[in-house]
Amino acid sequence: MTNYVIIGTGAAGVSAAETIRKHDPKGKITLIGEEPDGYYSRPGLAYILTGEIPSSQLYPFAPEDFERLGIHLVSGQATGLDLARKQVTLANGKALAYNRLLLATGAQARPAGVPGEKLPNGETLPGVIQLDNFANTREIVRRARKAKTAVVVGGGITALELVEGLVTLGVKTHYFLRGNRYWSNVLDEIESRIVEYRLQEEGIRIHFNTEIETILSRPTGLFGKGEIRVSAVKTKAGKIIPCEMVGVAVGVGPRLELAKAAGLKIEKGVVVEETMHTSHPDIYAAGDVAQVNDPLTGKPVMDVLWPTARDQGRVAGANMAGVYTVYKKEIALNVTRLAGLTTTIIGTVGGKTPDNDTIGIVRGDSETWREIPDAIAAQSNFDVNRIRLMVGEKTLLGAIVMGDQTLSSPIHRLVADQVDITPIRERLLQSDGQVGEVIAGFWTQVNGGGSRNVKP
Ligand SMILES: Cc1cc2nc3c(=O)[nH]c(=O)nc-3n(C[C@H](O)[C@H](O)[C@H](O)COP(=O)(O)OP(=O)(O)OC[C@H]3O[C@@H](n4cnc5c(N)ncnc54)[C@H](O)[C@@H]3O)c2cc1C
């Protein structure tokens, strides 16, 4: 009987466990997780902040589902890996033996790295918050009940989720951007402006070219005897903004502690082959912690995407159970909301403007998007319903669809299937804002009047 041990109860770990069980009905599967909340939807956390869904909707699995699959759950942190003995050590001192091990340890939010963010004992100053897991989401809600004002720094999707969540919770929110526009290495200037305009309409105060110099704090309560917490931020221009919360969403980094200690090959993340095998024969890695190769660009890439983590977990699980399976990275895709506007990001869409609001990658993000495609942009007119296509020599290399999503699925298929767009290339480039019409007509032809299966 094979002894499978998986570290991490997130999307990648659970997907691997399900797949192992499918191929090996008798093997022992142990899932180690340090979060008391277990397996839940991280992308769903933003909807908890805005109060759009109840907490109960975050759980894709009930405890009985783990029982039904015969998955043994171990609560606690894995602190060590002994490759020679094939053992995982837990924080409580116990050791678990494995034949095959999966590292599905995910990623963790990075600190802002500004003075005042940490207390002298190294802990984070109360009131400095991050939208990273269920526990800190609850903390945001709890603090927001008493807070009047917050300052948020960072970029990408999580910063906006934080900003909009705080506003929904009734907190007056200032959003600091280091540069002069939002998410400048993925969005073009018009898209950034659409998002910024909508945020301002929601009452969010955006401060361009603004950085925190220091986070100020003071003790709360009568005679200053309570907790020491955020009281204001001082900007590099010397302005002081009193606030009770500082939201940090500058990016995430893979959880590499165990892989490092075990001497596995690491670059940006744990390096894996297409079978999700690490540099060690018994150890696999999947999800936010793993670094794969992007077939589109040929470069090593990190993704922080839920469907990618599930896919990689599935491939790792199959190979761990002895069923040879290869991971083929799909075109990076996310359907998200930016300032309330549904936005689909597909393939390579990057621009030449660096984004200094983030360090590396953020949640719900793919490094692929930042790649600057060898392409010419074709776009529909300025409107909230906007399509930007990256038109390559023969194929579409990427796209951003904002607002009306009628064409996002067809465009995704055209990019993912590398459909030859020669018949419409010139029309797209000369479409004078009518990109949507040209694509819709072409899709009907390619799709044979609707007979082709369009993946959701
Ligand atoms: C606010 C937010 C918004 C997001 N939005 C989107 C989105 O719009 N679209 C999208 O596709 N993705 C989004 N994501 C990203 C997506 O949730 C992740 O890519 C996905 O959860 C990664 O799964 P994973 O299994 O690799 O890691 P995780 O889900 O992070 O799970 C890893 C688990 O391992 C545990 N762990 C780590 N080390 C140890 C250890 N030593 N011992 C025990 N346990 C350990 C961690 O505590 C964690 O529970 C978002 C994430 C967040 C937080």
Side-chain angles (χ1 to χ4, degrees):
M1 188 175 74
T2 311
N3 202 352
Y4 305 93
V5 173
I6 297 170
I7 306 177
T9 50
V14 173
S15 154
E18 287 176 270
T19 313
I20 293 171
R21 181 54 77 227
K22 197 168 106 199
H23 296 301
D24 181 353
K26 295 207 178 110
K28 182 174 177 203
I29 305 174
T30 307
L31 201 50
I32 306 171
E34 66 187 4
E35 282 190 77
D37 294 301
Y39 177 43
Y40 58 88
S41 162
R42 276 174 206 276
L45 294 174
Y47 301 95
I48 297 288
L49 275 194
T50 51
E52 286 166 87
I53 59 166
S55 305
S56 56
Q57 267 190 34
L58 279 191
Y59 295 96
F61 262 45
E64 308 85 70
D65 293 319
F66 288 107
E67 274 170 39
R68 182 177 44 79
L69 290 167
I71 296 169
H72 180 52
L73 294 172
V74 172
S75 180
Q77 191 181 41
T79 48
L81 211 52
D82 186 332
L83 300 186
R85 287 193 183 157
K86 292 196 177 188
Q87 274 187 351
V88 177
T89 324
L90 301 179
N92 63 9
K94 286 196 178 148
L96 288 172
Y98 63 83
N99 298 115
R100 294 194 192 125
L101 179 84
L102 175 67
L103 289 175
T105 48
Q108 196 170 36
R110 295 176 191 272
V114 294
E117 185 181 23
K118 301 275 178 195
L119 292 168
N121 65 7
E123 284 178 16
T124 302
L125 174 70
V128 175
I129 44 121
Q130 298 194 298
L131 181 60
D132 206 33
N133 55 42
F134 205 170
N136 52 37
T137 305
R138 283 192 291 263
E139 195 206 333
I140 296 171
V141 175
R142 183 177 67 78
R143 288 195 177 269
R145 285 200 193 109
K146 292 187 188 157
K148 284 197 184 118
T149 309
V151 169
V152 174
V153 293
I157 295 170
T158 322
L160 287 203
E161 288 177 339
L162 207 41
V163 159
E164 292 187 282
L166 286 165
V167 168
T168 314
L169 290 162
V171 183
K172 183 177 168 197
T173 304
H174 297 262
Y175 182 26
F176 285 11
L177 289 170
R178 282 192 162 138
N180 58 10
R181 69 180 175 91
Y182 167 71
W183 212 5
S184 54
N185 57 359
V186 171
L187 303 185
D188 72 7
E189 183 157 1
I190 296 174
E191 289 150 359
S192 298
R193 299 298 176 225
I194 292 173
V195 173
E196 291 157 10
Y197 175 77
R198 292 174 67 93
L199 290 177
Q200 281 157 342
E201 287 285 288
E202 286 177 50
I204 292 144
R205 180 85 207 282
I206 304 180
H207 302 249
F208 296 101
N209 305 307
T210 302
E211 284 183 53
I212 294 181
E213 185 182 272
T214 181
I215 300 175
L216 305 172
S217 55
R218 68 155 178 256
T220 58
L222 272 183
F223 313 112
K225 283 188 175 163
E227 112 185 320
I228 294 181
R229 64 152 171 79
V230 171
S231 61
V233 299
K234 185 175 174 201
T235 70
K236 287 202 168 159
K239 193 170 169 186
I240 296 202
I241 299 185
C243 59
E244 298 79 29
M245 295 170 83
V246 175
V248 175
V250 296
V252 295
R255 297 272 307 261
L256 298 170
E257 312 91 278
L258 289 171
K260 264 188 195 153
L264 301 181
K265 185 172 178 198
I266 292 171
E267 288 170 5
K268 292 192 261 187
V270 179
V271 176
V272 289
E273 294 166 18
E274 53 188 12
T275 50
M276 306 313 293
H277 229 127
T278 65
S279 54
H280 191 278
D282 308 320
I283 304 180
Y284 296 73
D288 289 357
V289 76
Q291 171 190 313
V292 296
N293 250 349
D294 186 348
L296 203 67
T297 61
K299 293 186 190 167
V301 70
M302 299 295 287
D303 286 329
V304 185
L305 294 168
W306 179 272
T308 306
R310 294 271 315 160
D311 261 9
Q312 293 184 356
R314 183 182 49 76
V315 172
N319 287 302
M320 287 167 80
V323 179
Y324 177 74
T325 310
V326 164
Y327 174 69
K328 232 182 119 231
K329 186 174 152 36
E330 295 268 339
I331 292 287
L333 167 85
N334 195 4
V335 185
T336 186
R337 260 188 348 196
L338 298 178
L341 198 60
T342 306
T343 302
T344 302
I345 311 175
I346 306 162
T348 54
V349 290
K352 292 189 176 119
T353 321
D355 180 8
N356 296 324
D357 290 309
T358 54
I359 308 161
I361 195 154
V362 295
R363 299 272 189 196
D365 190 2
S366 169
E367 283 188 334
T368 305
W369 296 333
R370 292 181 199 143
E371 289 293 327
I372 301 165
D374 190 5
I376 307 170
Q379 50 213 301
S380 58
N381 290 323
F382 178 87
D383 194 348
V384 282
N385 294 325
R386 184 164 200 275
I387 299 172
R388 170 162 62 99
L389 299 176
M390 303 314 292
V391 183
E393 271 304 303
K394 281 196 158 60
T395 55
L396 294 179
L397 303 181
I400 291 199
V401 182
M402 279 181 143
D404 183 352
Q405 295 296 309
T406 315
L407 289 174
S408 59
S409 188
I411 292 171
H412 176 217
R413 290 315 331 151
L414 293 175
V415 177
D417 297 347
Q418 303 197 338
V419 174
D420 186 349
I421 51 141
T422 311
I424 54 161
R425 190 172 186 278
E426 283 315 303
R427 263 190 297 149
L428 277 180
L429 295 178
Q430 291 159 16
S431 60
D432 194 22
Q434 306 302 306
V435 162
E437 286 78 351
V438 178
I439 284 290
F442 183 58
W443 178 248
T444 312
Q445 279 174 29
V446 173
N447 200 27
S451 59
R452 195 182 139 125
N453 205 9
V454 184
K455 274 198 211 157

